[in-house]
Amino acid sequence: HFHSTFSQASFMSLLSHQPMFCFIAIRLKITLIVVNEVSFVRKCIGADSSHGDLWGKLICTNFKVSFITHDALPKQRFQVANRLLGEHDVPLACVEQVVTVNDAKGKQKVLCSNQKLKFNPTELVLYCKDFRIIRFRFDEAGPQSAKKVCLAIAHYSQPADPQLLFGFEYIGKQYYGSLGERVNGVDPGGGLQMPLFDRPSEWDREIKRTGAAEWRVCSINEGYVVSPSLPEYVVVPVSLADQDLKQYLCFFTAHRIPLWCWNHPNGSALVRMASISDPLQQRKLDQRICSAITKSHPQRSDVLKSDLDKNLPNIQDIQAAFVKVRQICVIEPFEESEEKWLSSMESSRWLEYVRAFLKHSAEVVYLLEGKHVSVILQEEEDRDLSCVVSSLVQLMLDPHFRSLTGFQSLVQKEWVMAGHRFLHRCNHLKKNDKEESPLFQLFLDCVWQIINQYPAAFEFTETYLTVLSDSMWIPVFSTFLFNCPQQRTENSMDFAKSKCIPMGEEKALRFPPVWDWSQQFTPKDQALFNNPMYVGKGATCVQNGTVKSFRRTKKNYSSTLRGMPSSLRNILMDGHDSLTLTRRNSLVPRLKPDFSQIREVVESPTERFFRDWVSRPADLQGMLIPQLLPSHLALWRLYFLRWVPEASIPKGGPVTAYHKLSQLADEVEKLQSQLRQYKGATPASTPTSNPSAPPSDHSRMYFKAGSTHEPSSIPEYLSSSFPFSPVGNMCRRSILGTPLSKFLNGAKTWLSTETLANEAL
């Protein structure tokens, strides 16, 4: 370990001179441990020169890498402050690679945990999982101090055990006192207005909300006695008894029995299921499970099975595509208009995989909505691809999940409680690169594609999706720290025992969920999550001076908002039913047609269904189907290109429309409020304007009408990267003539850590 002596006096002295560090330390209840530090460090800001670089102190704590400086950025663009992170902070969990460079010797090295560094570094480059590259120079710093802080960052960014993640230290000090009581009056997750699905009552409410009358909450996994990767409470058909489930579970991979996801108003159910490990039992179990699901349907409709492993890219392919996109967006020169850049983006296959998941989800939507049949999503362990597809299907069919609270409950239900391996897929422990895969980022990209086509159908913004993705790398929240709820319980109990933290009546330490956004942002900054275009169910409108509830009809929207292609064959079905499904009581897949023998293309029922749907006006509170021609899909610029200075558009990009729409929405909200006041007031009590009264801040919008900015002007700090700042986060050209230019030339930066670690130029 690289602990250094850091007295309380010197620490408080640092806090007194650094307000942001002081605020964050207080916020974390001084659980931060300063591991190592080095002074007279230069953070590189300029792309081609040292002009505008910042000087300060580089500190490695047990939570993050902090750069403390008195200087300001040349052009301040960053407006939103994270309560847990300073402007120049990087969580250790967000560090992908630590690269040290020595100019004089012409060497560079990728540092791993507990490695030795034979040269004194003159430069440190941090490659981050959120696509940032941050560069520090040690020209004036002490060589030994520089070496120690580099080794400390490499060591603490690669913990050997889950309990070494900062979240355990944070939750032990933040929320629990010496007697096991909650401190600060804070109950992590207790005040949330959304279900966490960790108790039977919340599943009951979801059953009633969707009208799934023939389904029930089952508690056979209480205490995780049946399957460690399943939640304690699952929803199963009423006709399946607990005893039957206990008899069947041993035949399913990892004992993961079928899980109910959602019910369509017509009675069709969406179910996810692991594969059956015993081939001899497969036919019999398929029949029994499908029969139980059929009995739960009012019309006793058929059950179709979709094998996701056969129809969708695997996690390794998705990871490889993500690596290529990162290479194109972060390391290679950015020239978006060049044909080479665009073809490189296409060859990464990332958007192709986004389309594949959206397409398959739309096909499942057709079966549930158009065919009135129940669908089983089958995957080997039911913990990766099924999370993406089941979530997208529900998002397309149920407007509840397009609200902010509903979307968060969807992620909680289909990802966190269903046992998605966030610990492995995020590679928090840096143990096995083969287990790493950006499934959740892929899902968020798919969601963004739908938002991009139907912006008024969602309560939340792309800023919210981006911040949610970034929160994966803040190792404080239970949402993204574990592979399943049981792992959180087991590890937190062991940690509490080792640290002598009294648990009281708690089964495990209650980590705050990421959905408690007050942990990271002020209410003002959280307003960036709210979509000013959103027209939710029961939204209000003003007609003839009267505030009425807005009831949506087909005349409210024009189909021209979406556009209608002349043919849907290339959008969803590619000219045929590509979904490989198994009908109930049959294991024989449908045969695909031989295209060489097709002379006349006959429109399939699936194509007809989507053609009819596209021809009607859009109902934003009804079913939504994304259009999937190449021209309909786009690169999610805010997520992938926000740190690229060359891609930033000053006073441009979607944020300009967001700025104007927010002001308009705020003005409408204020006028509606005044109208309600006047309507309910008597002549003697008619409200009058009071200039001395403080203005009420009831708006949900970040940008407000009548603000200090002129309505027609765009604030100087706005750019297409807002609320993120690309300044000081890139180093893509040859760096002062060092060999790092050669080092940055290939994708091996992200592909082969072991090879690079052994290289010495």
Side-chain angles (χ1 to χ4, degrees):
H1 290 74
F2 304 98
H3 291 284
S4 63
T5 304
F6 198 79
S7 67
Q8 183 177 1
S10 60
F11 186 66
M12 295 309 295
S13 174
L14 173 65
L15 297 185
S16 64
H17 288 86
Q18 308 297 340
M20 178 58 74
F21 196 86
C22 178
F23 172 77
I24 292 166
I26 293 173
R27 178 74 184 172
L28 296 177
K29 308 304 289 182
I30 315 297
T31 56
L32 290 179
I33 299 173
V34 175
V35 179
N36 235 302
E37 63 179 66
V38 57
S39 300
F40 307 109
V41 176
R42 178 160 56 92
K43 181 180 181 181
C44 301
I45 300 297
D48 297 305
S49 70
S50 60
H51 178 70
D53 289 353
L54 304 180
W55 289 88
K57 179 181 291 188
L58 184 63
I59 301 174
C60 175
T61 72
N62 59 334
F63 169 51
K64 60 186 179 178
V65 179
S66 294
F67 181 72
I68 309 298
T69 179
H70 288 293
D71 301 328
L73 287 174
K75 185 177 181 181
Q76 180 72 5
R77 298 180 185 176
F78 191 90
Q79 297 296 312
V80 180
N82 191 303
R83 287 178 161 180
L84 301 179
L85 299 169
E87 184 175 351
H88 302 285
D89 290 354
V90 180
L92 289 168
C94 188
V95 176
E96 175 87 2
Q97 285 185 346
V98 181
V99 180
T100 54
V101 179
N102 182 284
D103 293 340
K105 296 185 178 181
K107 292 183 178 181
Q108 79 272 327
K109 184 177 181 65
V110 177
L111 288 180
C112 298
S113 182
N114 292 323
Q115 273 194 335
K116 293 182 179 180
L117 186 57
K118 297 181 180 179
F119 57 82
N120 293 325
T122 57
E123 190 172 282
L124 170 68
V125 183
L126 299 181
Y127 291 84
C128 304
K129 292 184 177 181
D130 62 1
F131 281 35
R132 278 184 293 175
I133 301 178
I134 304 176
R135 186 164 58 97
F136 301 97
R137 294 285 302 179
F138 302 123
D139 300 309
E140 306 295 331
Q144 288 301 315
S145 297
K147 177 188 289 188
K148 287 180 180 179
V149 80
C150 292
L151 291 170
I153 294 171
H155 179 76
Y156 280 87
S157 64
Q158 303 176 58
D161 186 86
Q163 294 180 32
L164 295 177
L165 293 167
F166 180 73
F168 286 91
E169 183 73 22
Y170 175 75
I171 198 65
K173 297 284 181 65
Q174 178 82 350
Y175 293 117
Y176 292 90
S178 58
L179 299 177
E181 76 280 5
R182 301 279 169 79
V183 297
N184 298 334
V186 178
D187 181 5
L192 292 178
Q193 300 300 314
M194 57 161 286
L196 295 177
F197 295 101
D198 58 354
R199 57 192 69 180
S201 59
E202 294 175 336
W203 287 105
D204 270 324
R205 281 196 293 271
E206 186 66 8
I207 289 174
K208 292 176 182 176
R209 189 189 71 81
T210 58
E214 297 299 317
W215 296 80
R216 66 180 180 89
V217 181
C218 173
S219 58
I220 63 171
N221 197 39
E222 199 166 24
Y224 308 104
V225 295
V226 166
S227 174
S229 63
L230 286 179
E232 289 190 279
Y233 308 100
V234 297
V235 177
V236 298
V238 169
S239 59
L240 274 182
D242 287 0
Q243 193 60 37
D244 294 331
L245 291 169
K246 291 178 181 177
Q247 181 182 352
Y248 301 156
L249 63 90
C250 62
F251 299 114
F252 289 96
T253 301
H255 291 185
R256 289 182 63 91
I257 56 177
L259 298 177
W260 173 85
C261 300
W262 182 78
N263 245 60
H264 194 283
N266 64 29
S268 300
L270 179 66
V271 181
R272 50 192 289 182
M273 183 176 77
S275 63
I276 298 170
S277 54
D278 188 346
L280 300 177
Q281 297 290 331
Q282 185 168 358
R283 184 179 182 84
K284 180 173 69 174
L285 277 182
D286 267 337
Q287 291 177 351
R288 291 184 179 179
I289 296 299
C290 290
S291 176
I293 296 175
T294 297
K295 290 178 182 177
S296 71
H297 197 291
Q299 282 78 44
R300 301 296 190 263
S301 182
D302 280 348
V303 178
L304 298 179
K305 187 189 295 181
S306 171
D307 191 333
L308 303 185
D309 290 319
K310 293 181 179 179
N311 290 283
L312 290 170
N314 59 43
I315 63 171
Q316 290 80 18
D317 292 338
I318 296 170
Q319 171 68 2
F322 193 67
V323 167
K324 290 178 182 177
V325 171
R326 183 158 47 185
Q327 170 75 16
I328 296 165
C329 294
V330 176
I331 298 177
E332 294 178 354
F334 177 80
E335 294 289 347
E336 188 181 15
S337 60
E338 286 191 0
E339 184 179 346
K340 180 182 177 182
W341 194 92
L342 295 171
S343 62
S344 297
M345 188 61 65
E346 182 181 3
S347 65
S348 72
R349 306 190 71 181
W350 176 257
L351 286 176
E352 177 186 330
Y353 294 157
V354 168
R355 178 182 182 271
F357 277 89
L358 286 170
K359 175 172 177 269
H360 196 88
S361 301
E363 291 167 341
V364 175
V365 166
Y366 159 69
L367 296 173
L368 293 166
E369 171 84 16
K371 299 284 287 183
H372 293 197
V373 299
S374 296
V375 178
I376 296 176
L377 305 176
Q378 186 165 28
E379 186 187 8
E380 178 66 25
E381 287 195 40
D382 179 37
R383 301 177 72 176
D384 290 308
L385 309 181
S386 55
C387 296
V388 182
V389 175
S390 64
S391 300
L392 289 176
V393 169
Q394 293 173 69
L395 200 70
M396 293 178 190
L397 284 170
D398 194 338
H400 167 69
F401 294 125
R402 298 171 213 153
S403 68
L404 183 61
T405 300
F407 181 78
Q408 294 180 162
S409 68
L410 177 67
V411 174
Q412 184 72 23
K413 174 168 67 82
E414 297 298 327
W415 292 79
V416 181
M417 299 309 293
H420 179 66
R421 296 184 182 89
F422 279 109
L423 184 69
H424 287 166
R425 298 297 176 250
C426 297
N427 204 9
H428 285 317
L429 304 182
K430 312 288 196 308
K431 282 188 174 181
N432 191 348
D433 292 342
K434 293 182 180 179
E435 293 283 339
E436 185 175 358
S437 187
L439 271 301
F440 192 65
Q441 288 97 327
L442 177 77
F443 165 65
L444 295 182
D445 199 328
C446 291
V447 175
W448 179 83
Q449 300 290 343
I450 307 176
I451 292 178
N452 197 40
Q453 295 184 27
Y454 304 99
F458 293 81
E459 186 180 16
F460 48 89
T461 62
E462 65 172 337
T463 297
Y464 167 79
L465 295 178
T466 308
V467 168
L468 178 59
S469 178
D470 289 347
S471 299
M472 297 172 68
W473 318 121
I474 302 179
V476 168
F477 310 109
S478 61
T479 312
F480 305 123
L481 273 188
F482 305 100
N483 288 332
C484 58
Q486 186 271 346
Q487 188 185 53
R488 175 185 64 82
T489 301
E490 181 180 355
N491 277 276
S492 62
M493 288 179 65
D494 293 342
F495 181 80
K497 290 178 182 178
S498 66
K499 299 295 182 180
C500 299
I501 300 174
M503 297 290 292
E505 297 181 357
E506 295 280 355
K507 294 181 181 179
L509 297 178
R510 289 186 65 87
F511 290 76
V514 73
W515 319 123
D516 181 8
W517 292 106
S518 63
Q519 296 281 327
Q520 296 192 67
F521 302 103
T522 64
K524 163 71 173 174
D525 290 343
Q526 290 179 56
L528 281 171
F529 299 168
N530 301 322
N531 179 12
M533 298 180 65
Y534 177 62
V535 183
K537 191 174 183 180
T540 58
C541 65
V542 179
Q543 293 180 356
N544 298 326
T546 304
V547 179
K548 296 182 178 180
S549 180
F550 186 75
R551 291 291 175 259
R552 205 164 273 99
T553 65
K554 291 184 179 180
K555 294 181 180 179
N556 291 121
Y557 298 97
S558 169
S559 60
T560 58
L561 290 174
R562 294 177 292 168
M564 183 173 61
S566 58
S567 171
L568 288 177
R569 294 190 183 97
N570 293 325
I571 296 180
L572 290 164
M573 302 305 299
D574 288 337
H576 67 288
D577 273 337
S578 63
L579 192 64
T580 303
L581 298 165
T582 304
R583 190 168 293 278
R584 179 168 56 96
N585 299 338
S586 173
L587 300 179
V588 181
R590 297 179 183 179
L591 295 177
K592 297 181 180 180
D594 183 357
F595 285 99
S596 63
Q597 299 177 5
I598 294 180
R599 297 187 180 275
E600 251 179 69
V601 178
V602 180
E603 187 178 50
S604 71
T606 313
E607 289 179 304
R608 190 179 311 114
F609 174 81
F610 288 114
R611 176 177 56 78
D612 292 343
W613 180 83
V614 171
S615 66
R616 298 194 301 265
D619 179 7
L620 301 185
Q621 286 297 311
M623 180 180 69
L624 294 183
I625 301 296
Q627 299 188 58
L628 300 176
L629 285 173
S631 59
H632 294 134
L633 297 184
L635 182 71
W636 184 9
R637 293 178 59 95
L638 184 66
Y639 179 76
F640 290 106
L641 298 176
R642 56 189 157 142
W643 310 121
V644 182
E646 301 94 322
S648 181
I649 308 171
K651 293 189 178 183
V655 72
T656 56
Y658 177 80
H659 168 248
K660 293 296 183 184
L661 289 168
S662 296
Q663 290 181 323
L664 287 173
D666 183 60
E667 186 174 0
V668 170
E669 188 175 348
K670 288 180 179 178
L671 291 172
Q672 288 178 343
S673 177
Q674 292 175 9
L675 206 59
R676 282 190 289 266
Q677 291 177 16
Y678 279 102
K679 183 183 177 183
T682 61
S685 61
T686 301
T688 58
S689 60
N690 182 6
S692 62
S696 60
D697 190 11
H698 64 277
S699 174
R700 296 177 66 249
M701 296 296 105
Y702 184 84
F703 299 105
K704 296 178 173 56
S707 64
T708 54
H709 303 292
E710 303 232 353
S712 60
S713 66
I714 299 174
E716 287 289 336
Y717 58 79
L718 284 188
S719 74
S720 58
S721 298
F722 182 84
F724 309 98
S725 172
V727 178
N729 289 308
M730 294 302 299
C731 54
R732 53 173 68 242
R733 49 88 180 117
S734 58
I735 302 169
L736 302 179
T738 69
L740 196 59
S741 59
K742 178 179 179 181
F743 175 71
L744 292 176
N745 276 338
K748 64 179 183 178
T749 304
W750 301 98
L751 292 175
S752 180
T753 304
E754 293 181 2
T755 303
L756 288 171
N758 296 326
E759 280 189 3
L761 299 183

